[in-house]
Amino acid sequence: KDESRFAGVTTLGVDEHIWHHVSIKDRGPKELTGMVDLTRDKHGRTHARLLDLVPGRSGTVYKDWLKERGDTFRAHVQVATLDPFRGYKNAIDDQLADATAVLDAFHVVKLATQSVDEVRRRVQQDTLGHRGMKNDPLYKIRTILRSGAENLTLRQQHRLAEAIAADQRHEEVHVAWQCAQRVRDVYHAADPATGRALAEKILASFPSCPIPEIARLGRTLKQWADAFLGYFRTGGANNGGTEAINGLIELHRRIARGFRNRENYRLRMLLIAGGLDQPPPPV
């Protein structure tokens, strides 16, 4: 019940968490919503702390939690990071109207990579009439297509070029991969202004792309345009610390071999992930 641990939070992350995998009514919903303090110190470092775990995964759950924190807490939050889940975004818009919502960079790149996978599978079916098999040209480069161009070895570059050249219809896969590289480039730009300019070009061009999967990616990013561009207004705020806390919780859940009582689970995870500590003093 000690609310003092919520003091000083200027950057707030949110993510879902599964605390059990059995269908037992007494345990309530399997999903929890976790709130994490991602506030940076004066050196720009983030010391992520779990603030709370509440039952359910919905915008209403997050909105109610924010409402319970009071006006002072909400007014202090300047940045709210999240994964692309509309419910959480609606809660931020409703309760943290003055904060900048930021769509997590990892998940944006993941969406782009998934689009390339979808194009590869479709072209595979169109050209060979079956799912990928180990000797099929596109199947052999599936891992390469999930990589950044800057990380490819000369051998991998040659394998990519060889697979694309095997059939002129494979060029569609190559174009989709290049589009995904443009999304990655947004987060590797030399400065925020350059990154934002690249992001705006993506928002303007992807929705009209003749490749349907890339057009859908463009429409998705356009729906999230403000949160997508929020990355460049917040010094690169992201939900990475929230994901790290989630990983820590998962580790200790496995070590404990499961919990039966949700409140005990919540308290244990708050102890493990720093949620019952006071915010560290500026250093």
Side-chain angles (χ1 to χ4, degrees):
K1 297 298 183 179
D2 183 7
E3 296 281 311
S4 63
R5 71 179 187 277
F6 300 123
V9 177
T10 60
T11 302
L12 182 65
V14 63
D15 196 14
E16 66 175 90
H17 171 70
I18 305 298
W19 81 281
H20 71 84
H21 297 272
V22 294
S23 298
I24 300 177
K25 290 184 179 179
D26 292 345
R27 294 195 192 180
K30 298 178 182 180
E31 300 87 0
L32 301 177
T33 292
M35 280 62 66
V36 176
D37 178 12
L38 301 175
T39 303
R40 295 170 177 170
D41 63 22
K42 65 180 182 180
H43 301 291
R45 295 177 302 215
T46 299
H47 305 275
R49 297 184 305 126
L50 178 66
L51 293 175
D52 216 342
L53 283 172
V54 294
R57 174 192 181 262
S58 68
T60 300
V61 167
Y62 191 27
K63 182 174 72 175
D64 290 346
W65 185 87
L66 288 169
K67 191 180 297 184
E68 287 174 6
R69 300 286 72 76
D71 294 339
T72 301
F73 174 86
R74 294 194 300 273
H76 204 63
V77 176
Q78 301 169 12
V79 178
T81 65
L82 74 161
D83 300 344
F85 174 51
R86 181 57 61 181
Y88 292 157
K89 179 61 165 58
N90 290 341
I92 291 170
D93 291 344
D94 185 76
Q95 294 294 316
L96 299 174
D98 295 330
T100 300
V102 180
L103 190 60
D104 185 55
F106 171 82
H107 286 83
V108 173
V109 173
K110 183 179 178 182
L111 287 174
T113 303
Q114 287 175 340
S115 296
V116 179
D117 268 342
E118 290 169 2
V119 175
R120 176 185 61 80
R121 288 193 291 268
R122 175 173 57 78
V123 173
Q124 168 78 34
Q125 286 285 347
D126 291 345
T127 54
L128 296 178
H130 59 74
R131 295 179 60 183
M133 303 175 73
K134 70 176 183 178
N135 291 322
D136 294 337
L138 291 180
Y139 188 76
K140 288 165 70 174
I141 62 167
R142 67 193 184 284
T143 303
I144 293 175
L145 292 172
R146 296 171 188 150
S147 303
E150 72 280 4
N151 297 323
L152 298 184
T153 64
L154 288 176
R155 182 170 179 270
Q156 288 174 320
Q157 292 174 28
H158 176 73
R159 288 175 56 201
L160 175 63
E162 189 177 56
I164 298 302
D167 190 310
Q168 64 178 6
R169 291 171 290 183
H170 292 180
E171 186 60 32
E172 192 173 6
V173 178
H174 192 217
V175 172
W177 181 71
Q178 290 174 318
C179 289
Q181 297 307 305
R182 289 177 62 186
V183 175
R184 288 175 56 87
D185 290 344
V186 163
Y187 299 107
H188 291 90
D191 54 76
T194 303
R196 182 185 176 94
L198 292 173
E200 289 174 339
K201 288 180 180 179
I202 286 172
L203 293 173
S205 61
F206 277 25
S208 59
C209 180
I211 301 174
E213 294 84 355
I214 299 302
R216 186 172 67 249
L217 171 65
R219 292 192 297 271
T220 298
L221 292 178
K222 200 164 187 177
Q223 290 172 355
W224 288 88
D226 288 343
F228 180 34
L229 297 176
Y231 179 88
F232 308 101
R233 300 195 301 271
T234 57
N238 61 80
N239 219 24
T242 307
E243 299 289 349
I245 291 293
N246 209 4
L248 183 65
I249 292 173
E250 288 286 347
L251 172 64
H252 285 274
R253 181 172 64 83
R254 289 194 297 269
I255 290 173
R257 298 182 182 274
F259 288 80
R260 294 178 179 274
N261 183 286
R262 188 180 64 239
E263 183 58 21
N264 290 344
Y265 181 82
R266 171 178 171 270
L267 291 173
R268 175 70 67 87
M269 298 311 167
L270 284 171
L271 285 167
I272 289 167
L276 295 184
D277 295 335
Q278 295 298 312
V283 293

